[in-house]
Amino acid sequence: MIRKRVVGNWKMNGSTAVIGEVLDQLRTERYGAEVSVCVPAPYLHLAVDKLAGSPFQVGAQNVSEYGDGAYTGEVSARMLKDVGCKLAIIGHSERRRYFAESDATVVGKLARVLEVGLYGIVCVGETLAERDAGRAEAKIESQLAQLHTLMARGAGPDRFCVAYEPIWAIGTGRAASSEQIASMHEWIKRCLGSSYAVLYGGSVKAGNATEIMSIAGVDGVLVGGASLDVKDFGEICRAAG
Ligand code: PEP
């Protein structure tokens, strides 16, 4: 059986004290699922140190689409790998919205991540207006389209997965329904191939994690707000196996 994946996305939250405390607690836990935490870039080193020797992995929330060089403020995939990251979130809707990341940028970033041997988590999702207009599937299909170039060059299911994160469900407390999740995960697997893992993200909490995890086609979850609370995050990880 393939292990489910739980990825915590701390967004731009935390401090040396808070992250240290939470990860000291996390490292004593054991779950059946594959668990990772994506902390803000300045704390990656700290997180890697804290989780050294544990089964937990550290990931980045973003990565540059460029290789090393004159790109002030950017962090390359090589650097992430160098400090001990194992994965990177790419194309989160907050990056697409506030930092104008296009589908082409997202594919460029995934290419860098794959080049250095990190695992990529590519986020896709529709707005409420797109869903209401019956365009959710078309939006997701278009966000996935450019991934085929990398897939043709060997980017298999062991190299990246997709996180389906309906934009209207992120940070709103309103998760998508089981039917909506099942149907979109099936669609994504139809677009990419059924062997690609698809995570769900959007208001996953301790209270709904078991139900979400049991939906057909859900290979794990990407957790924002609830990953900041060690107790809630632990319950979500337990719900994943
Ligand atoms: C996210 O940031 O990817 C996310 C899903 O956030 P939340 O769990 O808070 O909705």
Short mmCIF file of all heavy atoms in Angstrom, two decimals, residues 9 11 89 92-94 123 165 169-173 200-205 222-227, ligand 1:
data_model
loop_
_atom_site.label_atom_id
_atom_site.label_comp_id
_atom_site.label_asym_id
_atom_site.label_seq_id
_atom_site.Cartn_x
_atom_site.Cartn_y
_atom_site.Cartn_z
N ASN A 9 2.15 23.41 5.55
CA ASN A 9 2.63 24.65 4.94
C ASN A 9 2.46 25.78 5.96
O ASN A 9 1.35 26.23 6.21
CB ASN A 9 1.80 24.95 3.68
CG ASN A 9 2.11 26.32 3.09
OD1 ASN A 9 3.13 26.92 3.42
ND2 ASN A 9 1.23 26.81 2.23
N LYS A 11 3.38 28.77 5.76
CA LYS A 11 3.27 30.09 5.14
C LYS A 11 4.26 31.05 5.83
O LYS A 11 5.28 30.62 6.32
CB LYS A 11 1.84 30.60 5.22
CG LYS A 11 0.82 29.57 4.73
CD LYS A 11 -0.50 30.16 4.43
CE LYS A 11 -1.48 29.05 4.11
NZ LYS A 11 -2.65 29.50 3.41
N ILE A 89 7.13 23.13 -2.42
CA ILE A 89 5.79 23.47 -2.92
C ILE A 89 6.01 24.45 -4.07
O ILE A 89 6.83 25.37 -3.98
CB ILE A 89 4.96 24.14 -1.81
CG1 ILE A 89 4.74 23.18 -0.63
CG2 ILE A 89 3.62 24.63 -2.36
CD1 ILE A 89 4.05 23.82 0.58
N HIS A 92 1.80 27.64 -5.39
CA HIS A 92 0.69 27.83 -4.43
C HIS A 92 -0.17 28.99 -4.91
O HIS A 92 0.35 29.96 -5.47
CB HIS A 92 1.27 28.10 -3.03
CG HIS A 92 0.23 28.05 -1.95
ND1 HIS A 92 -0.64 29.09 -1.73
CD2 HIS A 92 -0.10 27.07 -1.06
CE1 HIS A 92 -1.45 28.76 -0.73
NE2 HIS A 92 -1.14 27.54 -0.31
N SER A 93 -1.46 28.93 -4.67
CA SER A 93 -2.35 29.98 -5.21
C SER A 93 -1.98 31.37 -4.67
O SER A 93 -2.22 32.38 -5.33
CB SER A 93 -3.81 29.66 -4.92
OG SER A 93 -4.03 29.66 -3.54
N GLU A 94 -1.40 31.41 -3.45
CA GLU A 94 -0.98 32.71 -2.92
C GLU A 94 0.19 33.26 -3.73
O GLU A 94 0.31 34.47 -3.92
CB GLU A 94 -0.63 32.58 -1.43
CG GLU A 94 -1.88 32.41 -0.59
CD GLU A 94 -1.68 31.66 0.72
OE1 GLU A 94 -0.53 31.48 1.15
OE2 GLU A 94 -2.70 31.25 1.31
N CYS A 123 0.82 22.97 -7.02
CA CYS A 123 -0.53 23.32 -6.59
C CYS A 123 -1.38 23.83 -7.75
O CYS A 123 -0.90 24.62 -8.58
CB CYS A 123 -0.47 24.44 -5.54
SG CYS A 123 0.45 23.98 -4.07
N GLU A 165 -6.01 22.40 -4.65
CA GLU A 165 -6.37 23.35 -3.60
C GLU A 165 -7.35 24.38 -4.16
O GLU A 165 -6.92 25.41 -4.72
CB GLU A 165 -5.13 24.07 -3.10
CG GLU A 165 -4.09 23.17 -2.47
CD GLU A 165 -3.27 23.91 -1.43
OE1 GLU A 165 -2.64 24.92 -1.76
OE2 GLU A 165 -3.31 23.49 -0.28
N ALA A 169 -11.37 27.47 -0.83
CA ALA A 169 -11.34 26.63 0.38
C ALA A 169 -10.10 26.91 1.24
O ALA A 169 -10.00 26.43 2.36
CB ALA A 169 -11.37 25.16 0.00
N ILE A 170 -9.16 27.70 0.71
CA ILE A 170 -7.90 27.92 1.44
C ILE A 170 -8.09 29.00 2.51
O ILE A 170 -8.46 30.13 2.19
CB ILE A 170 -6.77 28.33 0.48
CG1 ILE A 170 -6.49 27.18 -0.49
CG2 ILE A 170 -5.50 28.69 1.24
CD1 ILE A 170 -5.41 27.48 -1.50
N GLY A 171 -7.87 28.59 3.74
CA GLY A 171 -7.92 29.54 4.86
C GLY A 171 -9.31 30.08 5.15
O GLY A 171 -9.45 31.05 5.90
N THR A 172 -10.33 29.48 4.57
CA THR A 172 -11.70 30.00 4.75
C THR A 172 -12.50 29.21 5.78
O THR A 172 -13.58 29.63 6.18
CB THR A 172 -12.48 29.94 3.42
OG1 THR A 172 -12.51 28.57 2.99
CG2 THR A 172 -11.83 30.79 2.35
N GLY A 173 -11.99 28.02 6.15
CA GLY A 173 -12.74 27.18 7.06
C GLY A 173 -13.81 26.37 6.31
O GLY A 173 -14.55 25.60 6.92
N TYR A 200 -5.06 16.77 -1.35
CA TYR A 200 -6.10 17.80 -1.25
C TYR A 200 -5.64 18.85 -0.25
O TYR A 200 -5.06 18.51 0.80
CB TYR A 200 -7.45 17.21 -0.78
CG TYR A 200 -8.41 18.32 -0.41
CD1 TYR A 200 -9.04 19.06 -1.42
CD2 TYR A 200 -8.59 18.71 0.93
CE1 TYR A 200 -9.85 20.14 -1.09
CE2 TYR A 200 -9.40 19.78 1.25
CZ TYR A 200 -10.03 20.50 0.24
OH TYR A 200 -10.81 21.58 0.56
N GLY A 201 -5.91 20.11 -0.55
CA GLY A 201 -5.61 21.19 0.40
C GLY A 201 -6.74 22.20 0.40
O GLY A 201 -7.31 22.52 -0.66
N GLY A 202 -7.06 22.72 1.57
CA GLY A 202 -8.12 23.73 1.70
C GLY A 202 -8.94 23.45 2.94
O GLY A 202 -9.84 22.60 2.92
N SER A 203 -8.56 24.13 4.06
CA SER A 203 -9.29 24.01 5.32
C SER A 203 -9.35 22.57 5.85
O SER A 203 -10.37 22.14 6.40
CB SER A 203 -10.71 24.60 5.18
OG SER A 203 -10.62 25.98 4.92
N VAL A 204 -8.23 21.83 5.68
CA VAL A 204 -8.13 20.52 6.32
C VAL A 204 -7.86 20.77 7.81
O VAL A 204 -6.99 21.57 8.16
CB VAL A 204 -6.99 19.67 5.71
CG1 VAL A 204 -6.84 18.36 6.47
CG2 VAL A 204 -7.26 19.42 4.23
N LYS A 205 -8.64 20.08 8.65
CA LYS A 205 -8.50 20.26 10.10
C LYS A 205 -8.52 18.87 10.76
O LYS A 205 -8.85 17.89 10.09
CB LYS A 205 -9.69 21.06 10.64
CG LYS A 205 -9.85 22.44 10.02
CD LYS A 205 -10.98 23.21 10.68
CE LYS A 205 -12.34 22.89 10.11
NZ LYS A 205 -12.78 23.55 8.93
N LEU A 222 -2.44 18.69 1.95
CA LEU A 222 -1.57 19.85 2.17
C LEU A 222 -2.32 20.73 3.17
O LEU A 222 -3.46 21.12 2.93
CB LEU A 222 -1.33 20.57 0.84
CG LEU A 222 -0.46 21.82 0.81
CD1 LEU A 222 0.86 21.62 1.52
CD2 LEU A 222 -0.18 22.24 -0.64
N VAL A 223 -1.66 21.01 4.28
CA VAL A 223 -2.34 21.65 5.41
C VAL A 223 -1.71 23.00 5.72
O VAL A 223 -0.50 23.07 5.97
CB VAL A 223 -2.23 20.75 6.67
CG1 VAL A 223 -3.07 21.33 7.80
CG2 VAL A 223 -2.63 19.32 6.37
N GLY A 224 -2.50 24.05 5.69
CA GLY A 224 -1.98 25.37 6.01
C GLY A 224 -2.16 25.66 7.49
O GLY A 224 -1.38 25.20 8.34
N GLY A 225 -3.20 26.41 7.83
CA GLY A 225 -3.43 26.89 9.21
C GLY A 225 -3.27 25.82 10.29
O GLY A 225 -2.60 26.06 11.30
N ALA A 226 -3.86 24.65 10.07
CA ALA A 226 -3.86 23.63 11.12
C ALA A 226 -2.47 23.03 11.35
O ALA A 226 -2.23 22.38 12.37
CB ALA A 226 -4.85 22.52 10.78
N SER A 227 -1.53 23.28 10.42
CA SER A 227 -0.19 22.70 10.62
C SER A 227 0.61 23.50 11.66
O SER A 227 1.65 23.05 12.12
CB SER A 227 0.58 22.62 9.30
OG SER A 227 0.93 23.89 8.82
C1 PEP B 1 -2.58 26.04 2.12
O1 PEP B 1 -2.03 27.06 2.48
O2 PEP B 1 -2.07 25.34 1.23
C2 PEP B 1 -3.85 25.66 2.76
C3 PEP B 1 -4.48 24.61 2.30
O3 PEP B 1 -4.28 26.45 3.78
P1 PEP B 1 -5.44 26.08 4.85
O4 PEP B 1 -5.23 24.64 5.29
O5 PEP B 1 -5.26 27.05 5.96
O6 PEP B 1 -6.75 26.24 4.13
#
